[in-house]
Amino acid sequence: MDLTNEQLLDMYVTMNKIRTFENRVAELFADGKIPGFVHLYVGEEAVATGVCASLTDQDYITSTHRGHGHLIAKGGDIKLMMAELFGKKTGYCKGKGGSMHIADLNLGIMGANGIVGGGPPLASGAALACQYLGNDGVAVCFFGDGASNQGTTHEAMNLATCWKLPVVFVNENNMYGISSCTLNSMCVPNIADRAAAYDMPGVVVDGNDVIAVCEAAAEGISRARQGKGPSLIECKTYRHRGHFEGDPCAYREDSELEEWKEKDPIPRLEQKLMEIELLTDAKINEIKSGLQKDMADAEQFAEESPFPDVSELTEDVYT
Amino acid sequence: MDLTNEQLLDMYVTMNKIRTFENRVAELFADGKIPGFVHLYVGEEAVATGVCASLTDQDYITSTHRGHGHLIAKGGDIKLMMAELFGKKTGYCKGKGGSMHIADLNLGIMGANGIVGGGPPLASGAALACQYLGNDGVAVCFFGDGASNQGTTHEAMNLATCWKLPVVFVNENNMYGISSCTLNSMCVPNIADRAAAYDMPGVVVDGNDVIAVCEAAAEGISRARQGKGPSLIECKTYRHRGHFEGDPCAYREDSELEEWKEKDPIPRLEQKLMEIELLTDAKINEIKSGLQKDMADAEQFAEESPFPDVSELTEDVYT
Amino acid sequence: MPNMNFAQALNDAHKVEMERDANIYVAGEDVGVYGGIFGVTAGLLDQFGDKRVKDTPITESAIVGTAVGAATAGLRPVIELMFVDFIGVALDQLYNQAAKMKYMFGGKAKIPMVLRMTCGAGIGAAAQHSQCLEAMFMHLPGLKVVMPSTPNDAKGLLIEAIRDDNPVVFLEHKMLYALEGEVAEGDFTIPFGQADIKREGQDVTIVATANMVHTALSAAEKLAADGISAEVVDPRTLYPLDEEGIIQSVKKTHRLVIVHEEVKFAGSGAEIAAIVAEKAFDYLDAPILRVAAPFCPVPFSQPLEQAFIPSEEEIIDAVKKVME
Amino acid sequence: MPNMNFAQALNDAHKVEMERDANIYVAGEDVGVYGGIFGVTAGLLDQFGDKRVKDTPITESAIVGTAVGAATAGLRPVIELMFVDFIGVALDQLYNQAAKMKYMFGGKAKIPMVLRMTCGAGIGAAAQHSQCLEAMFMHLPGLKVVMPSTPNDAKGLLIEAIRDDNPVVFLEHKMLYALEGEVAEGDFTIPFGQADIKREGQDVTIVATANMVHTALSAAEKLAADGISAEVVDPRTLYPLDEEGIIQSVKKTHRLVIVHEEVKFAGSGAEIAAIVAEKAFDYLDAPILRVAAPFCPVPFSQPLEQAFIPSEEEIIDAVKKVME
Ligand SMILES: Cc1ncc(C[n+]2csc(CCOP(=O)(O)OP(=O)(O)O)c2C)c(N)n1
Ligand SMILES: Cc1ncc(C[n+]2csc(CCOP(=O)(O)OP(=O)(O)O)c2C)c(N)n1
Ligand SMILES: [Mg+2]
Ligand SMILES: [Mg+2]
């Protein structure tokens, strides 16, 4: 797969955008500006970025509790996201959803999801709609290593193969489901090995190498678009932060985290792009300060927006 | 595996006992003596018989909606079964359960089950109790091809491998879940192929060859007893009758049924035992007329037993 | 108006709607070749083909969840889940996803889907195939809950359900499938939230649902012979519930007996009683009584099952008690 | 009596019981190394080892179903399912298996298991992590349903639950975990089905559960200042429900306000209202009012979430209304 310079730069920007957003959210959470449960994507940016690079607004994704990265990579507006995290009326969900329920159906984002394993059946459903309507769309289901043990995931994959649905299941194997290490929660070394149970292709990629992710995803997505059915891509990655903000992480070794920080997807792409002179120090600074500015704007927008009015409490339950 | 003459004869008798019971139940259902849903095991007798040959009363089984064969093979009393099917007070469940809910915990029979996929988690639980109590027991989970697509089955298998539980998952692949053919409900040729998704052994056996079933099951059971964890055995078989009594079977070809009747497990064993002169025509007659007599006794017992009293309606909900 | 049974009326509703709107698909276990375990989807596969009439593997979470996803992405699924008892393996996709998505997304989703399920005792199907669980669905904001009692209501309410842009739980009592009645031809709807007075009366209001409407009607006949005039009100939809209709009837009769086949404790009748005890308290001349199933699973044995199901006699007794 | 918070009291109950009975095991997601998301199982892994304290994969049907099987085969599982909202992926194993097995088997099974779940709004956890669903469990014969409001009740009721030979659903409101109070030392139990009068009063009965007990108590304080004497009754267990205790209180005060955080429609309060409207109708001097959450999912945004949760003012208003 030959990625253009523009594509490579786009991915670099997207990964940084996610990182910048997440780091700022961590601070805002610590400052008490953002309530509830917040699950950050720091360290896993290459997955959403590499996958969404091959998707259009016609395509669907289902996300998870750890959804900010997916949303940003699929084109989500960080202003509306930040306002939602603050619980403001101007947020993506008018403040009703919060971090775990942000959606943008115009962009095909079928929502973050607070239920582990909630997304796979929804993704198969979106794929069914694409197939039924014959509109060339595909659906991508992001799900965690923990979610792969849920019955719903099994059911959705089986149904997707039976109906040859245009869906790609993208597993984000960050080795943990809260404190539960994959070594204790499953006996197979690779989640991709489970694809064989449905007779769909299953591949393992380095989830911290955005180019590798992008190539594997492009193949799965084009396969789906051509009507050849679903596939499973397992991206091996790691989360740098706790499961949610506030997690003391007593269940894992610092050294493990350090090892994975060495494999941080952002410096890796950065180095590669500097080698081929797509990036320079100046360009990097420009990108990063641009993102900082966007982030500050988003934060200001969120900060200055009003909370929803109590009269809105029971609106939006039914059409 | 060397089966003794006694074991071979026992299996022959058990299969005939199941067949006789089921055929009589079909008649009684047609006569309106037995109400509700009745799912018969005719044609599949070799599976329950071959598996249960290696189990003791300390071992557990979980059964399905198609449970009569499992119950008889595990030592269930046909008098109490028949009385239950009639809804009589003397039945296994005092008439409260009926065909889909017969249990005998003294024999380790954890119940037929009206929920497809309801059994696998229960079997893992029974196996956990055996492991925890260190009592050398194992659990066997019978489940259908249809049930293998349920999320609960996936979850139970995964948990069983994680905890190395002494459980054997015995799939009865009779090619249909009501009208739904495995060709449409899954894309893998063998359900046993799914064992790899949990890193447990998975084998396919001819489910109409009781000796083959017995050998495969003995291996899985002994593996479980030795603390080596779960395994999956897929038994390819076929049901001669409809999904439930009253099913017109419009979804399958008569010729398919005829082909499978050629592979009927009972004549197959009968012939083998006649060849090695374990069975003679006289012996066969003796066995069959004995079973007919037992069946008549069971029926008479059921017929003559009283219905439960209405005062018992709300008893047995809580201890 | 042609005569047809409840199952045929439902079948007809499917056809009317599927002919009208190409984005409606039907899915579920055995809905295609088999035509549905109770025959409701018979003939649909032949008429509409397997793109629109989809047999599924046994995998209820995926069936429901796929419908939710498909509905969100532009289709209008009509799902048969067979027995309502099976909702336990698929509830999350219904109540945490379908019911809440619109709200969680700040109003931006539309999830037009119907989940049809059969409920109720009476055929010896025992504890896992005979439940009534309408109270559970009523309590879940985001869902609408429909429970018809006649062939005509079944058809008009199902068409309304299919056209509704919200997830609708459609409960069909299995003892009603063979019930015959006149059914309006072609395209017609019955609006949600309008109770139907199945029998007018002056002395006591009997609110009854599904199969119990008929038991209540025959009890009312017998009561009439004793000089008691009972009004039988069928809510038809439990959410939205026609509070006003029920309250109006109670304001007229001053007495209320509620009948349902669900277990009494925390059942749908509790909500109706609570509403009346709040909003029509001053009009009540007697305690509110509920006639409903006792607190146990549904037994298999026929004499027990018959004792489990609320009877005409129990209704008559309750009415006589509130008339004292 | 030592002072401890609600979470510590629950932790203590686990320890007391696990020391007493070697057949008790604890399982759930993150109950081991993590000590439970809300800290309830902290230290158990160290004390009892991984045979008895089992971290599980994310696989709720298997967690619950395994417990049912293990309980039937002689163990006494105490399961933490984290958020009650997750019951949708595991309900079948609870309601069709655990709750019904004894009955379906003609009384021959014993399923001693406890299913602990956290419920309730207040921490911005939004629609899928903040529900109260007690009415759903109350309606399912075979289950017992416990909902404590104080650290001492939590401990005594959890020990009772663990010793009970039936499946028990144990609901812990997440806003209570940090609540401090005196807790009896060592081994003690609180019997199920005994409501506790948390405050005596003469003019009106307020039945409240879980966190709402405390809101009701502070409302009662304010009402006292206005000369209204409110009795606050905490049922503590919703099944078995202390009907007699509630009725006695209503017979004394002649007025009833029911408070719960669940959605009002078809919530637990409906059953309490219906019971009183039947059995204490003649003692009632005013309509029965319910103060409960409105009919919507739990919103994320803090002002909305606070508006969702029933407040002291709403209780005061309701009481004043029934006092008119
Ligand atoms: C059905 C359900 N069970 C449990 C939880 C609690 N929970 C939230 S996130 C999480 C871990 C998920 O692990 P994984 O799928 O690997 O995703 P990750 O957090 O690693 O991105 C758990 C157990 C939940 N939200 N839903
Ligand atoms: C959860 C659930 N879904 C659907 C059903 C209805 N049902 C009963 S048996 C059956 C087919 C089961 O197929 P399989 O597992 O292959 O077993 P078989 O009947 O072939 O023995 C179905 C769909 C059910 N009882 N439970
Ligand atoms: Mg993970
Ligand atoms: Mg089958």
Side-chain angles (χ1 to χ4, degrees), chain A residues 33 40 48 94 107 119 133 157 167 190 212 229 243 263 270 278 282 296 307 313:
Chain A
K33 293 272 185 197
L40 300 183
K94 303 184 190 164
L107 295 173
L133 299 167
M157 287 190 183
V167 53
N190 301 310
H243 169 69
K263 301 187 243 177
E270 192 171 281
L278 255 178
F307 278 107
L313 176 59

Side-chain angles (χ1 to χ4, degrees), chain C residues 114-143:
Chain C
V114 180
L115 190 60
R116 297 181 36 248
M117 297 176 277
T118 193
C119 66
I123 63 166
Q128 294 174 339
H129 288 73
S130 305
Q131 290 166 88
C132 280
L133 294 169
E134 50 273 19
M136 182 184 286
F137 301 114
M138 288 167 70
H139 189 50
L140 302 170
L143 301 181

Side-chain angles (χ1 to χ4, degrees), chain D residues 203-269:
Chain D
D203 300 332
V204 58
T205 298
I206 305 178
V207 174
T209 46
N211 205 23
M212 286 299 118
V213 171
H214 305 285
T215 314
L217 285 171
S218 49
E221 282 303 312
K222 302 242 167 94
L223 287 162
D226 287 350
I228 298 172
S229 162
E231 176 146 305
V232 178
V233 179
D234 174 3
R236 299 197 291 199
T237 58
L238 289 166
Y239 189 87
L241 180 69
D242 186 358
E243 289 195 13
E244 213 30 63
I246 294 167
I247 288 171
Q248 282 312 325
S249 177
V250 172
K251 284 188 176 170
K252 177 173 72 172
T253 65
H254 306 292
R255 289 175 172 81
L256 176 61
V257 171
I258 302 160
V259 190
H260 56 68
E261 193 189 296
E262 275 195 300
V263 155
K264 180 177 178 180
F265 194 74
S268 52

Side-chain angles (χ1 to χ4, degrees), chain B residues 178-245:
Chain B
I178 309 188
S179 67
S180 175
C181 180
T182 47
L183 295 174
N184 302 319
S185 61
M186 58 184 63
C187 294
V188 279
N190 301 309
I191 288 161
D193 298 345
R194 294 185 166 173
Y198 317 100
D199 194 29
M200 66 166 91
V203 297
V204 178
V205 292
D206 177 347
N208 282 17
D209 177 350
V210 71
I211 296 173
V213 171
C214 183
E215 285 173 350
E219 195 175 319
I221 290 165
S222 110
R223 189 184 143 84
R225 258 197 238 294
Q226 289 163 40
K228 294 185 184 156
S231 54
L232 169 58
I233 300 170
E234 175 182 1
C235 305
K236 306 268 194 194
T237 185
Y238 199 80
R239 59 169 154 76
H240 291 184
R241 303 193 60 85
H243 169 69
F244 38 36
E245 290 307 285

Side-chain angles (χ1 to χ4, degrees), chain A residues 209-223:
Chain A
D209 176 349
V210 71
I211 297 173
V213 171
C214 182
E215 285 173 350
E219 195 176 320
I221 290 166
S222 108
R223 189 184 143 84

Side-chain angles (χ1 to χ4, degrees), chain A residues 136-245:
Chain A
D136 204 50
V138 306
V140 166
C141 171
F142 292 102
F143 70 113
D145 49 286
S148 89
N149 299 318
Q150 281 288 43
T152 49
T153 306
H154 168 74
E155 293 188 15
M157 287 190 183
N158 185 57
L159 194 66
T161 50
C162 290
W163 290 355
K164 261 198 163 191
L165 297 177
V167 53
V168 181
F169 296 96
V170 175
N171 186 264
E172 306 182 306
N173 186 346
N174 62 10
M175 290 172 54
Y176 291 88
I178 310 188
S179 67
S180 174
C181 180
T182 47
L183 296 174
N184 302 318
S185 61
M186 58 185 62
C187 294
V188 279
N190 301 310
I191 288 161
D193 298 345
R194 294 185 167 173
Y198 317 100
D199 192 30
M200 65 167 92
V203 296
V204 178
V205 293
D206 177 347
N208 282 17
D209 176 349
V210 71
I211 297 173
V213 171
C214 182
E215 285 173 350
E219 195 176 320
I221 290 166
S222 108
R223 189 184 143 84
R225 256 195 239 295
Q226 289 162 40
K228 293 183 185 158
S231 54
L232 170 58
I233 300 169
E234 174 183 2
C235 305
K236 306 267 193 195
T237 185
Y238 198 79
R239 60 169 154 76
H240 291 184
R241 304 194 59 85
H243 169 69
F244 36 39
E245 290 307 286

